[in-house]
Amino acid sequence: MSTMFRMCLLLIFISPALAVLCNPADKKALLQLKQDLNNPYLLASWDPPDSDCCYWDTVTCDRKTHRIISLTISDNVVPLSNFSAQIPPSIANLPYLQSLEFHKLPNLTGPLQPAIARLTQLTFLRISWTNISGPVPSFLAHLKNLTYLDLSFNNLSGTIPSFLSQMPYLGTLHLDRNHLTGSIPESFGYFKGSSPGFYLSHNNLSGHIPKSLNNLNLTFIDLSRNNLEGDASMLFGSNKTVLTVDLSRNHRLAFNLSNMVFPSSLTSLDLNHNKVYGGLPQELTELNLEYLNVSYNSLCGEIPVGGKLQSFDIYSYLHNKCLCGSPLPPCA
């Protein structure tokens, strides 16, 4: 076999590895985005000369089309001390994005960028631990394919928009740790195609929990540290499959726990700092609880013996009206 023939074979085998896969339009869009974000150090690998953007940090390309489908800009690894910007309109120049994340960027400010509405293929959107502000914008309604929406740990204000319930595939909703006010929309009991996990804690929400939530079979519910009041029994029932319910520190939630029917799936229940009354039902002993806190309520009677109820310390039961029995002092 001649040397020339061997060389030709070698080039045939290695040429695919040398081919630039990145779509030129996507590469141009990334470079514009980098410039608009003030060239943060995290994006140092986004270097134009003869480099393939499918191999740049924080970017993922589709294996078949080689279009960019995922972009994550986060300071989890490298502190972005020089990162100070708003989400730029140029983000819309990546139309094939399915996943977009801006995370732990304290100097990311301003309102949510309306251009995000043009990214209609998004299924995952996380903009969290930033200083973005303003309301939860109505343009999010255009993102019909979203299954996961996380806008937690920001400075969002205003009310929770009811249109979120019209998103047909939404499976998880994080609006926790903001400055949202008003009530939970009644429409949240009528999600079109799913029963998502709700994380709405650490806001300034008020009013009653919508009775319509009885229609949903939620897996995770965190409504803690708001100003909600009244009944919460619609969140429970033998037909539910909820795993975690956290209603703590609303201070004005008031309902009778005595006859509550809990789903067998429940593993974590936190009701502390409310006005829950009645007694602890015997049914709680049948649950595989990993966490329980009913302290600072108006409960009475003996703590049922059995299951895991005696495995929790006294702090899970303290400061009730007349609750007694192990691990609290014996009933008189």
Short mmCIF file of all heavy atoms in Angstrom, two decimals, residues 163-215:
data_model
loop_
_atom_site.label_atom_id
_atom_site.label_comp_id
_atom_site.label_asym_id
_atom_site.label_seq_id
_atom_site.Cartn_x
_atom_site.Cartn_y
_atom_site.Cartn_z
N PHE A 163 -52.82 33.29 33.68
CA PHE A 163 -52.56 32.60 32.41
C PHE A 163 -51.61 31.42 32.57
O PHE A 163 -51.56 30.54 31.69
CB PHE A 163 -51.97 33.58 31.37
CG PHE A 163 -50.56 34.00 31.63
CD1 PHE A 163 -49.49 33.18 31.32
CD2 PHE A 163 -50.29 35.24 32.19
CE1 PHE A 163 -48.18 33.57 31.56
CE2 PHE A 163 -48.98 35.64 32.44
CZ PHE A 163 -47.92 34.81 32.12
N LEU A 164 -50.87 31.35 33.66
CA LEU A 164 -49.95 30.24 33.85
C LEU A 164 -50.67 28.90 33.82
O LEU A 164 -50.11 27.88 33.40
CB LEU A 164 -49.19 30.40 35.16
CG LEU A 164 -48.19 31.57 35.22
CD1 LEU A 164 -47.65 31.75 36.63
CD2 LEU A 164 -47.04 31.36 34.24
N SER A 165 -51.93 28.90 34.23
CA SER A 165 -52.70 27.65 34.23
C SER A 165 -53.07 27.20 32.82
O SER A 165 -53.53 26.08 32.63
CB SER A 165 -53.98 27.81 35.06
OG SER A 165 -54.83 28.78 34.48
N GLN A 166 -52.87 28.07 31.83
CA GLN A 166 -53.19 27.72 30.44
C GLN A 166 -52.01 27.09 29.72
O GLN A 166 -52.10 26.76 28.53
CB GLN A 166 -53.63 28.98 29.68
CG GLN A 166 -54.84 29.68 30.29
CD GLN A 166 -56.05 28.77 30.36
OE1 GLN A 166 -56.42 28.14 29.37
NE2 GLN A 166 -56.67 28.68 31.52
N MET A 167 -50.89 26.93 30.43
CA MET A 167 -49.71 26.32 29.80
C MET A 167 -49.86 24.81 29.89
O MET A 167 -49.81 24.23 30.97
CB MET A 167 -48.45 26.82 30.49
CG MET A 167 -48.35 28.35 30.47
SD MET A 167 -46.94 29.04 31.34
CE MET A 167 -45.67 28.83 30.09
N PRO A 168 -50.07 24.14 28.76
CA PRO A 168 -50.59 22.77 28.78
C PRO A 168 -49.67 21.71 29.33
O PRO A 168 -50.14 20.65 29.74
CB PRO A 168 -50.90 22.50 27.30
CG PRO A 168 -50.03 23.45 26.54
CD PRO A 168 -49.92 24.67 27.39
N TYR A 169 -48.36 21.95 29.34
CA TYR A 169 -47.43 20.90 29.75
C TYR A 169 -46.65 21.24 31.02
O TYR A 169 -45.74 20.51 31.40
CB TYR A 169 -46.44 20.60 28.62
CG TYR A 169 -47.11 20.27 27.31
CD1 TYR A 169 -47.00 21.13 26.21
CD2 TYR A 169 -47.89 19.12 27.16
CE1 TYR A 169 -47.64 20.85 25.01
CE2 TYR A 169 -48.52 18.82 25.97
CZ TYR A 169 -48.39 19.69 24.89
OH TYR A 169 -49.02 19.41 23.71
N LEU A 170 -46.99 22.35 31.66
CA LEU A 170 -46.21 22.80 32.80
C LEU A 170 -46.28 21.80 33.94
O LEU A 170 -47.35 21.50 34.46
CB LEU A 170 -46.71 24.17 33.26
CG LEU A 170 -45.79 24.95 34.21
CD1 LEU A 170 -44.45 25.23 33.55
CD2 LEU A 170 -46.45 26.24 34.64
N GLY A 171 -45.11 21.27 34.33
CA GLY A 171 -45.06 20.26 35.39
C GLY A 171 -44.49 20.76 36.69
O GLY A 171 -44.72 20.17 37.73
N THR A 172 -43.73 21.86 36.65
CA THR A 172 -43.15 22.44 37.86
C THR A 172 -43.16 23.95 37.74
O THR A 172 -42.73 24.50 36.72
CB THR A 172 -41.71 21.96 38.09
OG1 THR A 172 -41.69 20.53 38.20
CG2 THR A 172 -41.13 22.55 39.37
N LEU A 173 -43.64 24.61 38.81
CA LEU A 173 -43.71 26.07 38.82
C LEU A 173 -43.04 26.60 40.08
O LEU A 173 -43.51 26.37 41.19
CB LEU A 173 -45.16 26.53 38.76
CG LEU A 173 -45.40 28.04 38.88
CD1 LEU A 173 -44.75 28.79 37.72
CD2 LEU A 173 -46.89 28.35 38.95
N HIS A 174 -41.93 27.31 39.90
CA HIS A 174 -41.23 27.96 41.01
C HIS A 174 -41.38 29.47 40.89
O HIS A 174 -40.84 30.09 39.98
CB HIS A 174 -39.73 27.63 40.94
CG HIS A 174 -39.35 26.32 41.53
ND1 HIS A 174 -39.11 26.15 42.87
CD2 HIS A 174 -39.16 25.11 40.95
CE1 HIS A 174 -38.78 24.89 43.10
NE2 HIS A 174 -38.81 24.24 41.96
N LEU A 175 -42.12 30.04 41.84
CA LEU A 175 -42.19 31.50 41.96
C LEU A 175 -41.78 31.92 43.37
O LEU A 175 -42.05 33.04 43.79
CB LEU A 175 -43.61 31.99 41.67
CG LEU A 175 -44.12 31.79 40.23
CD1 LEU A 175 -45.57 32.23 40.11
CD2 LEU A 175 -43.26 32.53 39.22
N ASP A 176 -41.16 31.01 44.10
CA ASP A 176 -40.81 31.27 45.49
C ASP A 176 -39.69 32.32 45.62
O ASP A 176 -38.93 32.55 44.69
CB ASP A 176 -40.40 29.97 46.19
CG ASP A 176 -39.52 29.06 45.34
OD1 ASP A 176 -39.88 28.81 44.17
OD2 ASP A 176 -38.47 28.62 45.83
N ARG A 177 -39.65 32.93 46.81
CA ARG A 177 -38.62 33.91 47.15
C ARG A 177 -38.64 35.13 46.23
O ARG A 177 -37.64 35.50 45.62
CB ARG A 177 -37.23 33.26 47.12
CG ARG A 177 -37.11 32.03 47.98
CD ARG A 177 -36.64 32.34 49.36
NE ARG A 177 -36.48 31.11 50.15
CZ ARG A 177 -35.88 31.06 51.35
NH1 ARG A 177 -35.43 32.16 51.89
NH2 ARG A 177 -35.80 29.92 51.98
N ASN A 178 -39.80 35.73 46.12
CA ASN A 178 -39.96 36.98 45.40
C ASN A 178 -40.74 37.96 46.28
O ASN A 178 -40.74 37.82 47.51
CB ASN A 178 -40.66 36.75 44.06
CG ASN A 178 -39.72 36.21 43.00
OD1 ASN A 178 -38.88 36.93 42.47
ND2 ASN A 178 -39.85 34.92 42.66
N HIS A 179 -41.40 38.92 45.68
CA HIS A 179 -42.20 39.89 46.43
C HIS A 179 -43.62 39.94 45.86
O HIS A 179 -44.22 41.00 45.73
CB HIS A 179 -41.56 41.28 46.36
CG HIS A 179 -40.13 41.31 46.82
ND1 HIS A 179 -39.77 41.13 48.13
CD2 HIS A 179 -38.97 41.49 46.13
CE1 HIS A 179 -38.46 41.20 48.24
NE2 HIS A 179 -37.96 41.41 47.04
N LEU A 180 -44.13 38.78 45.52
CA LEU A 180 -45.44 38.70 44.89
C LEU A 180 -46.54 38.92 45.92
O LEU A 180 -46.43 38.52 47.08
CB LEU A 180 -45.61 37.34 44.22
CG LEU A 180 -44.59 37.03 43.11
CD1 LEU A 180 -44.73 35.60 42.63
CD2 LEU A 180 -44.75 38.01 41.95
N THR A 181 -47.61 39.56 45.49
CA THR A 181 -48.73 39.90 46.37
C THR A 181 -50.04 39.37 45.77
O THR A 181 -50.05 38.78 44.69
CB THR A 181 -48.83 41.42 46.57
OG1 THR A 181 -48.93 42.05 45.28
CG2 THR A 181 -47.60 41.96 47.28
N GLY A 182 -51.14 39.63 46.48
CA GLY A 182 -52.43 39.19 45.98
C GLY A 182 -52.68 37.73 46.33
O GLY A 182 -51.98 37.12 47.14
N SER A 183 -53.66 37.14 45.70
CA SER A 183 -54.08 35.78 46.02
C SER A 183 -53.58 34.79 44.97
O SER A 183 -53.13 35.17 43.88
CB SER A 183 -55.60 35.71 46.09
OG SER A 183 -56.17 36.13 44.86
N ILE A 184 -53.66 33.52 45.32
CA ILE A 184 -53.38 32.46 44.36
C ILE A 184 -54.56 32.39 43.40
O ILE A 184 -55.71 32.27 43.85
CB ILE A 184 -53.18 31.11 45.07
CG1 ILE A 184 -52.01 31.20 46.05
CG2 ILE A 184 -52.96 29.99 44.06
CD1 ILE A 184 -51.88 29.98 46.95
N PRO A 185 -54.35 32.46 42.10
CA PRO A 185 -55.48 32.49 41.17
C PRO A 185 -56.38 31.25 41.27
O PRO A 185 -55.89 30.14 41.40
CB PRO A 185 -54.80 32.56 39.79
CG PRO A 185 -53.44 33.11 40.06
CD PRO A 185 -53.06 32.60 41.41
N GLU A 186 -57.68 31.47 41.20
CA GLU A 186 -58.64 30.37 41.20
C GLU A 186 -58.40 29.44 40.01
O GLU A 186 -58.64 28.23 40.08
CB GLU A 186 -60.07 30.93 41.14
CG GLU A 186 -61.18 29.90 41.27
CD GLU A 186 -61.32 29.36 42.68
OE1 GLU A 186 -60.89 30.04 43.63
OE2 GLU A 186 -61.86 28.24 42.82
N SER A 187 -57.88 30.02 38.93
CA SER A 187 -57.63 29.23 37.71
C SER A 187 -56.57 28.16 37.92
O SER A 187 -56.45 27.23 37.13
CB SER A 187 -57.18 30.16 36.58
OG SER A 187 -55.92 30.76 36.88
N PHE A 188 -55.78 28.27 39.01
CA PHE A 188 -54.74 27.28 39.25
C PHE A 188 -55.32 25.89 39.52
O PHE A 188 -54.59 24.91 39.48
CB PHE A 188 -53.84 27.73 40.40
CG PHE A 188 -52.67 28.56 39.97
CD1 PHE A 188 -52.77 29.39 38.87
CD2 PHE A 188 -51.47 28.51 40.65
CE1 PHE A 188 -51.69 30.17 38.45
CE2 PHE A 188 -50.37 29.27 40.24
CZ PHE A 188 -50.49 30.10 39.15
N GLY A 189 -56.60 25.82 39.79
CA GLY A 189 -57.23 24.53 39.97
C GLY A 189 -57.64 23.87 38.67
O GLY A 189 -58.20 22.78 38.66
N TYR A 190 -57.34 24.55 37.55
CA TYR A 190 -57.80 24.06 36.25
C TYR A 190 -56.66 24.02 35.24
O TYR A 190 -56.84 24.40 34.08
CB TYR A 190 -58.93 24.94 35.74
CG TYR A 190 -60.09 25.00 36.71
CD1 TYR A 190 -60.20 26.07 37.60
CD2 TYR A 190 -61.03 23.98 36.76
CE1 TYR A 190 -61.24 26.13 38.51
CE2 TYR A 190 -62.08 24.03 37.67
CZ TYR A 190 -62.18 25.11 38.54
OH TYR A 190 -63.20 25.15 39.44
N PHE A 191 -55.50 23.59 35.68
CA PHE A 191 -54.39 23.44 34.73
C PHE A 191 -54.81 22.51 33.61
O PHE A 191 -55.39 21.46 33.84
CB PHE A 191 -53.15 22.90 35.45
CG PHE A 191 -52.21 23.99 35.90
CD1 PHE A 191 -52.52 24.77 37.00
CD2 PHE A 191 -51.04 24.24 35.21
CE1 PHE A 191 -51.67 25.78 37.42
CE2 PHE A 191 -50.19 25.25 35.62
CZ PHE A 191 -50.50 26.02 36.72
N LYS A 192 -54.48 22.91 32.39
CA LYS A 192 -55.00 22.21 31.20
C LYS A 192 -54.53 20.77 31.10
O LYS A 192 -55.33 19.86 30.93
CB LYS A 192 -54.58 22.97 29.94
CG LYS A 192 -55.49 24.13 29.59
CD LYS A 192 -55.15 24.65 28.20
CE LYS A 192 -56.19 25.65 27.72
NZ LYS A 192 -55.90 26.15 26.36
N GLY A 193 -53.23 20.57 31.15
CA GLY A 193 -52.74 19.23 30.82
C GLY A 193 -51.94 18.57 31.91
O GLY A 193 -51.43 17.47 31.72
N SER A 194 -51.81 19.20 33.07
CA SER A 194 -50.99 18.60 34.10
C SER A 194 -51.37 19.16 35.46
O SER A 194 -52.12 20.12 35.57
CB SER A 194 -49.51 18.90 33.84
OG SER A 194 -49.27 20.30 33.89
N SER A 195 -50.86 18.51 36.48
CA SER A 195 -51.01 19.01 37.85
C SER A 195 -49.61 19.26 38.38
O SER A 195 -48.96 18.36 38.89
CB SER A 195 -51.74 17.98 38.71
OG SER A 195 -53.07 17.83 38.28
N PRO A 196 -49.12 20.47 38.23
CA PRO A 196 -47.71 20.72 38.53
C PRO A 196 -47.41 20.77 40.02
O PRO A 196 -48.32 20.84 40.85
CB PRO A 196 -47.47 22.09 37.90
CG PRO A 196 -48.79 22.76 37.96
CD PRO A 196 -49.80 21.66 37.76
N GLY A 197 -46.11 20.75 40.34
CA GLY A 197 -45.67 21.05 41.68
C GLY A 197 -45.63 22.56 41.84
O GLY A 197 -45.11 23.26 40.98
N PHE A 198 -46.22 23.07 42.92
CA PHE A 198 -46.28 24.51 43.17
C PHE A 198 -45.27 24.89 44.25
O PHE A 198 -45.30 24.34 45.36
CB PHE A 198 -47.67 24.92 43.67
CG PHE A 198 -48.73 24.93 42.62
CD1 PHE A 198 -50.06 24.73 42.97
CD2 PHE A 198 -48.44 25.16 41.29
CE1 PHE A 198 -51.07 24.74 42.02
CE2 PHE A 198 -49.43 25.17 40.33
CZ PHE A 198 -50.74 24.96 40.69
N TYR A 199 -44.42 25.85 43.94
CA TYR A 199 -43.50 26.41 44.92
C TYR A 199 -43.72 27.92 44.93
O TYR A 199 -43.21 28.65 44.08
CB TYR A 199 -42.05 26.07 44.56
CG TYR A 199 -41.77 24.58 44.49
CD1 TYR A 199 -42.01 23.86 43.33
CD2 TYR A 199 -41.26 23.91 45.60
CE1 TYR A 199 -41.76 22.50 43.27
CE2 TYR A 199 -41.01 22.55 45.54
CZ TYR A 199 -41.26 21.85 44.38
OH TYR A 199 -41.01 20.50 44.32
N LEU A 200 -44.49 28.38 45.91
CA LEU A 200 -44.87 29.80 45.97
C LEU A 200 -44.46 30.43 47.30
O LEU A 200 -44.95 31.49 47.66
CB LEU A 200 -46.39 29.93 45.80
CG LEU A 200 -47.02 29.28 44.56
CD1 LEU A 200 -48.53 29.49 44.56
CD2 LEU A 200 -46.40 29.81 43.29
N SER A 201 -43.55 29.81 48.00
CA SER A 201 -43.20 30.26 49.35
C SER A 201 -42.43 31.58 49.36
O SER A 201 -41.94 32.04 48.33
CB SER A 201 -42.35 29.20 50.04
OG SER A 201 -41.06 29.13 49.46
N HIS A 202 -42.36 32.17 50.57
CA HIS A 202 -41.56 33.38 50.78
C HIS A 202 -41.97 34.51 49.84
O HIS A 202 -41.16 35.11 49.15
CB HIS A 202 -40.07 33.09 50.63
CG HIS A 202 -39.51 32.19 51.70
ND1 HIS A 202 -39.71 30.82 51.66
CD2 HIS A 202 -38.77 32.45 52.80
CE1 HIS A 202 -39.10 30.28 52.71
NE2 HIS A 202 -38.53 31.23 53.43
N ASN A 203 -43.28 34.77 49.80
CA ASN A 203 -43.82 35.93 49.10
C ASN A 203 -44.72 36.68 50.08
O ASN A 203 -44.62 36.49 51.30
CB ASN A 203 -44.59 35.49 47.85
CG ASN A 203 -43.66 35.17 46.68
OD1 ASN A 203 -43.05 36.06 46.11
ND2 ASN A 203 -43.55 33.88 46.34
N ASN A 204 -45.58 37.51 49.56
CA ASN A 204 -46.55 38.23 50.39
C ASN A 204 -47.97 37.91 49.94
O ASN A 204 -48.85 38.79 49.92
CB ASN A 204 -46.30 39.74 50.33
CG ASN A 204 -44.95 40.12 50.89
OD1 ASN A 204 -44.63 39.76 52.02
ND2 ASN A 204 -44.14 40.83 50.12
N LEU A 205 -48.21 36.66 49.58
CA LEU A 205 -49.51 36.24 49.10
C LEU A 205 -50.52 36.25 50.25
O LEU A 205 -50.18 35.95 51.40
CB LEU A 205 -49.43 34.84 48.49
CG LEU A 205 -48.45 34.69 47.32
CD1 LEU A 205 -48.40 33.23 46.86
CD2 LEU A 205 -48.84 35.61 46.17
N SER A 206 -51.75 36.58 49.94
CA SER A 206 -52.79 36.68 50.96
C SER A 206 -54.09 36.05 50.46
O SER A 206 -54.17 35.57 49.33
CB SER A 206 -53.01 38.16 51.32
OG SER A 206 -53.39 38.90 50.19
N GLY A 207 -55.09 36.07 51.32
CA GLY A 207 -56.38 35.50 50.93
C GLY A 207 -56.44 34.01 51.20
O GLY A 207 -55.56 33.42 51.83
N HIS A 208 -57.50 33.38 50.69
CA HIS A 208 -57.72 31.96 50.90
C HIS A 208 -57.06 31.14 49.79
O HIS A 208 -56.93 31.59 48.65
CB HIS A 208 -59.22 31.66 50.93
CG HIS A 208 -59.91 32.17 52.15
ND1 HIS A 208 -60.22 33.51 52.33
CD2 HIS A 208 -60.35 31.53 53.28
CE1 HIS A 208 -60.83 33.67 53.49
NE2 HIS A 208 -60.92 32.49 54.08
N ILE A 209 -56.69 29.93 50.14
CA ILE A 209 -56.22 28.98 49.13
C ILE A 209 -57.42 28.58 48.28
O ILE A 209 -58.48 28.22 48.83
CB ILE A 209 -55.59 27.73 49.80
CG1 ILE A 209 -54.38 28.13 50.64
CG2 ILE A 209 -55.21 26.69 48.75
CD1 ILE A 209 -53.80 27.00 51.46
N PRO A 210 -57.34 28.67 46.97
CA PRO A 210 -58.51 28.37 46.12
C PRO A 210 -59.05 26.95 46.34
O PRO A 210 -58.27 25.99 46.34
CB PRO A 210 -57.98 28.55 44.70
CG PRO A 210 -56.76 29.39 44.83
CD PRO A 210 -56.17 29.07 46.16
N LYS A 211 -60.34 26.84 46.51
CA LYS A 211 -60.95 25.51 46.65
C LYS A 211 -60.77 24.68 45.39
O LYS A 211 -60.81 23.45 45.44
CB LYS A 211 -62.43 25.66 46.98
CG LYS A 211 -62.71 26.24 48.36
CD LYS A 211 -64.20 26.29 48.65
CE LYS A 211 -64.46 26.84 50.05
NZ LYS A 211 -65.91 26.92 50.36
N SER A 212 -60.55 25.36 44.28
CA SER A 212 -60.37 24.65 43.01
C SER A 212 -59.14 23.76 43.00
O SER A 212 -59.04 22.84 42.17
CB SER A 212 -60.27 25.65 41.85
OG SER A 212 -59.13 26.48 42.00
N LEU A 213 -58.20 23.99 43.92
CA LEU A 213 -57.01 23.14 43.97
C LEU A 213 -57.36 21.70 44.31
O LEU A 213 -56.54 20.79 44.13
CB LEU A 213 -55.99 23.69 44.97
CG LEU A 213 -55.31 25.01 44.61
CD1 LEU A 213 -54.18 25.32 45.58
CD2 LEU A 213 -54.80 25.03 43.18
N ASN A 214 -58.58 21.50 44.81
CA ASN A 214 -59.04 20.13 45.05
C ASN A 214 -59.08 19.32 43.75
O ASN A 214 -59.04 18.09 43.77
CB ASN A 214 -60.44 20.17 45.68
CG ASN A 214 -60.94 18.79 46.04
OD1 ASN A 214 -60.30 18.06 46.78
ND2 ASN A 214 -62.10 18.40 45.50
N ASN A 215 -59.15 20.00 42.61
CA ASN A 215 -59.21 19.31 41.32
C ASN A 215 -57.86 18.71 40.92
O ASN A 215 -57.80 17.86 40.04
CB ASN A 215 -59.63 20.29 40.21
CG ASN A 215 -61.00 20.87 40.45
OD1 ASN A 215 -61.88 20.19 40.97
ND2 ASN A 215 -61.20 22.12 40.05
#
